[in-house]
Structures are given as structure tokens and as C-alpha cells.
């Protein structure tokens, strides 16, 4: 939260945010899955999105998220829910723009999570996930060893990008813009007309 308040969105989140630039977010509804403190939601609301729904698995962000929403005076435009989106997607309404920023890599069942997100996307799905390269696999492999040593149940996944795009395509979404960074790939996918 302090870093966001001092410096705004981090580099990867800014790249994800910029993917929406060719589209007007004014008047659009937003659904962010796994958005943590909700910084991206605030940025989209400030850019004119009408409402934002956050579906976050971990409850520990909620106090900080509420403080940021309060400071921004956006209480009436954000709806925060704590749940596993892949399991409970049926309880969530679709939105014009859906975001999964660095979330697919935290979830074992990529087709279930990505498929549910794609199903909930009316217009634009914004994604970031680790690029599949030897160095990302090495970094993630080392991180997973450390997590196991610390007896954490959390695990990081480098799901094959082809399968991520194929899952979205099954739900009618086609890549519009894809940028491969050193570690993160960011992509926008659009519903075919
Ligand atoms: C690496 S963090 C990224 C947070 C934020 N999007 C960012 O980029 O700074 C991944 C987040 O996704 C959430 N998450 C993972 N699987 C989820 C699911 N199935 N439903 C909702 N949230 C999920 C985790 O709780 C975590 O907060």
C-alpha cells in the first residue's frame, strides 16, 4: 500500500493498465480477480470505469483495500468479495473488463480459473502471467523449493501460455495485444464480434 501511495502502480501493473488504453473504460464495469489491495481497480475507476468488483481469495488485504477506497472516496463504486473465484464464479456477475494480474500463476487449475474469467468477460480480458522460458522456470523452481522448505502450501505455476490462450479462445476471446517482458507476459484479449 505504501509503495502504491508513493509511486503508483508497479511496472507490470502499469503495462496491464496500458493494454486498456485503446478501449474507452469510461462507463465500463470492471471485475478484478486476485487484485490484492485493489490498486488497479482504483486506477480504472479514476479513468472512468463505473463500478469495480474485486474477488480476492485472501482476506488479509481487505482492511488496507478499504482504507484506500475510503481515501479515494470511491466506497459506492467498489464491491469487494472474499472467495475462490474458480469455485464460486457462478455467484459473480459478468463485467465489461476483467483482470487477472499475476494470478493465473498462483492457481493450480489454470483452465478452471481462466475459463471462468473468460466466461465473465463481456468485452476485454487483461492478463499477466510468467513467460515460459528457462529463466522463469528456474526462478519459479527456486521459489517453490524455498516455499516447501518454509512449509508453505503456496506454490507458483508457469502454465503454458498456449494453453492459457486456448482456454480463453474456447470462451470466444481472441488475443488483441500481447507483450512478452523478461519475466511477465501481458496480454489483452477481446471478445470476437
Ligand atoms: C501474486 S498475487 C497478485 C496480486 C495483484 N494482482 C498484483 O498483481 O499485485 C496473486 C493474488 O491472487 C489471489 N488469488 C489466487 N487465486 C485466486 C482465486 N482462485 N480467486 C481469487 N483470488 C485468487 C491471491 O490471493 C493473491 O492475492
Amino acid at each position: 500500500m505504501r509503495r502504491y501511495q508513493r509511486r503508483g502502480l508497479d511496472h507490470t501493473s502499469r503495462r496491464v493498465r496500458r493494454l486498456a488504453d485503446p478501449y474507452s473504460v469510461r462507463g465500463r464495469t470492471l471485475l478484478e480477480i486476485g487484485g490484492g489491495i485493489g490498486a488497479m481497480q482504483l486506477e480504472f475507476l479514476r479513468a472512468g470505469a463505473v463500478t469495480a468488483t474485486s474477488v480476492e481469495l485472501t482476506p488479509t488485504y481487505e482492511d488496507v483495500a478499504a482504507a484506500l477506497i475510503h481515501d479515494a472516496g470511491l466506497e459506492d463504486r467498489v464491491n469487494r468479495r472474499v472467495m475462490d473465484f474458480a469455485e464460486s464464479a457462478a455467484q459473480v456477475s459478468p463485467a465489461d473488463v476483467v483482470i487477472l494480474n499475476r494470478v493465473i500463476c498462483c492457481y493450480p487449475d489454470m483452465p478452471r480459473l481462466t475459463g471462468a474469467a473468460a466466461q465473465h468477460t463481456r468485452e476485454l480480458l487483461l492478463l499477466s502471467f510468467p513467460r515460459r522460458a528457462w529463466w522463469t522456470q528456474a526462478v519459479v523452481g527456486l521459489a517453490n523449493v524455498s516455499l516447501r522448505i518454509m512449509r508453505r502450501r503456496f506454490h507458483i505455476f508457469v502454465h503454458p501460455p498456449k494453453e492459457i490462450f486456448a482456454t480463453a479462445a474456447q470462451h470466444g476471446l481472441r488475443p488483441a495485444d500481447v507483450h512478452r517482458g523478461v519475466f511477465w507476459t501481458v496480454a489483452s484479449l477481446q471478445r470476437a464480434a
Side-chain angles (χ1 to χ4, degrees), residues 34-35 55-58 61 83-85 101-103 106-107 113:
V55 177
E56 174 51 66
L57 183 65
T58 308
Y61 298 108
M83 59 168 75
D84 182 331
F85 181 75
N101 182 23
R102 296 180 287 215
V103 179
C106 299
Y107 202 76
L113 179 62

Side-chain angles (χ1 to χ4, degrees), residues 111-143:
R112 194 168 179 201
L113 179 62
T114 309
Q119 257 176 344
H120 277 66
T121 303
R122 285 201 205 100
E123 295 178 25
L124 189 67
L125 177 63
L126 303 177
L127 302 177
S128 69
F129 48 81
R131 141 182 205 172
R132 203 165 165 88
W134 68 263
W135 55 92
T136 54
Q137 312 247 36
V139 170
V140 168
L142 278 175

Side-chain angles (χ1 to χ4, degrees), residues 2-34:
R2 285 197 202 97
R3 195 176 57 214
Y4 171 60
Q5 284 173 326
R6 270 200 313 269
R7 289 189 251 147
L9 292 178
D10 63 82
H11 177 70
T12 302
S13 299
R14 273 206 307 275
R15 290 173 66 216
V16 173
R17 167 67 191 86
R18 280 203 297 267
L19 287 171
D21 284 349
Y23 312 87
S24 173
V25 297
R26 187 157 293 283
R28 299 289 194 274
T29 56
L30 176 75
L31 166 63
E32 186 174 20
I33 302 147

Side-chain angles (χ1 to χ4, degrees), residues 39-105:
M40 190 80 93
Q41 294 146 43
L42 300 181
E43 298 296 322
F44 273 78
L45 290 170
R46 288 181 182 125
V50 62
T51 57
T53 299
S54 158
V55 177
E56 174 51 66
L57 183 65
T58 308
T60 43
Y61 298 108
E62 293 310 300
D63 289 347
V64 165
L68 285 172
I69 292 166
H70 175 78
D71 290 351
L74 292 169
E75 288 100 328
D76 54 341
R77 288 165 61 197
V78 185
N79 174 24
R80 289 196 64 98
R81 307 179 65 174
V82 176
M83 59 168 75
D84 182 331
F85 181 75
E87 281 180 5
S88 311
Q91 298 171 34
V92 180
S93 301
D96 300 323
V97 181
V98 175
I99 305 176
L100 277 169
N101 182 23
R102 296 180 287 215
V103 179
I104 293 173
C105 52

